[in-house]
Amino acid sequence: MEFLDLLLKTVVLRPYVFVFLAVFLFLAGRLIGWRRTGYFMGITFIVAFLCEFSSTHTGIPFGWYHYTGSTVGEELYMLNVPFMDSLSFPFLLYASYCMALAFLLPAESMENRSPRINLIRMGFPLTARTGWPVMLLTILFFTYLDIVIDPVTLRGERWFLGRIYYYPDPGTHFGVPIANYIGWAVVAFLSLGAYLPLDRKFLQTGLSPAPLVTRRVLLGCGLYYGVLIFNLAITFWIGESLMGITGLFIYLPITVLLGLRLLGRLPAQA
């Protein structure tokens, strides 16, 4: 009963986390099927928790940081790590995966398309969605997202997150150590390194039908931008204009390139 009570308190305290999580489950289930979604979520959650627990005790892989425990009794913890923190990694990684897919999945030539159809039509072959290019680009998008997320969460006492953690030695990027971003890349590498080989072994069932792949990948990209906009909005709301403008400048070229890719203006595989 105590577990269920703390879980309910966590949902009430962190509704935005569970909204993003629910969106992820719905979208991933439609693109990659429920079996793959379950493995994706389970693997990423476990890897994230182990890495967070390790960092708070050894400094590896995120560097040294500590949870304050200020919300103990108000939300669910796993040992010394807030449950909602590790739970955020699966939907952040999935959204980053969809961003990589949007750039790297093979697409039909625009020359053979009706002029009324403006967006490219992506395929969803196994080799393309599980290859090294997708893995590396996913890691990049995942780490880029934390460049916006971590500086504002570090200032959680100025908004409804609360001051839940701190770095004993503040870093150079708005107080965030570079080691933290390396840690995010490690979590993505380990999670995808475990999930993608499983995807190759599964039967090719439960996947999105070809005509819907583009739409469902773009919905995953929408989740990515939803998280991004949420964090940028909080950043400007608490008065950190320089942080917010930095985040906007980071994502402006990415957004332009994504638009060009979707309109068939960038080179695409046949």
Side-chain angles (χ1 to χ4, degrees), residues 3-50:
F3 170 82
L4 293 176
D5 181 58
L6 284 173
L7 181 59
L8 179 60
K9 287 182 178 179
T10 305
V11 174
V12 173
L13 186 64
R14 313 292 186 196
Y16 51 95
V17 172
F18 290 90
V19 169
F20 285 132
L21 181 66
V23 172
F24 149 66
L25 290 172
F26 176 75
L27 297 181
R30 292 170 66 82
L31 178 65
I32 60 177
W34 291 110
R35 184 183 186 190
R36 288 177 174 82
T37 299
Y39 277 104
F40 189 101
M41 179 175 175
I43 289 169
T44 307
F45 175 80
I46 291 170
V47 169
F49 168 73
L50 292 176

Side-chain angles (χ1 to χ4, degrees), residues 102-107 120 257 260-262 264-270:
F103 277 98
L104 296 176
L105 284 177
I120 60 174
L257 288 173
L260 292 174
R261 159 65 170 161
L262 295 175
R265 304 296 177 82
L266 293 181
Q269 299 176 2

Side-chain angles (χ1 to χ4, degrees), residues 119-139:
L119 297 181
I120 60 174
R121 179 177 292 175
M122 302 174 190
F124 204 48
L126 179 64
T127 53
R129 72 172 188 266
T130 62
W132 278 101
V134 163
M135 182 176 185
L136 294 176
L137 192 56
T138 300
I139 293 171

Side-chain angles (χ1 to χ4, degrees), residues 4 17 28 77 89 136 162 174 207 236:
L4 293 176
V17 172
Y77 276 70
F89 281 83
L136 294 176
F174 299 108
L207 299 169
F236 284 108

Side-chain angles (χ1 to χ4, degrees), residues 64-85:
W64 283 104
Y65 70 99
H66 303 287
Y67 286 105
T68 63
S70 60
T71 56
V72 171
E74 299 177 23
E75 63 178 315
L76 184 63
Y77 276 70
M78 293 178 60
L79 300 178
N80 66 317
V81 179
F83 175 68
M84 69 89 188
D85 205 62

Side-chain angles (χ1 to χ4, degrees), residues 61-63 143 146 167 169-173 175-184:
F62 294 104
T143 307
D146 188 53
Y167 296 103
D169 297 311
T172 57
H173 183 250
V176 181
I178 300 302
N180 172 74
Y181 302 124
I182 296 174
W184 274 63

Side-chain angles (χ1 to χ4, degrees), residues 93 96-97 100-101 104 127-142 185-197 200:
L93 187 60
S96 303
Y97 178 58
L101 291 176
L104 296 176
T127 53
R129 72 172 188 266
T130 62
W132 278 101
V134 163
M135 182 176 185
L136 294 176
L137 192 56
T138 300
I139 293 171
L140 181 63
F141 280 127
F142 186 65
V186 169
V187 169
F189 177 80
L190 294 176
S191 299
L192 293 172
Y195 167 75
L196 294 179
R200 298 186 195 108

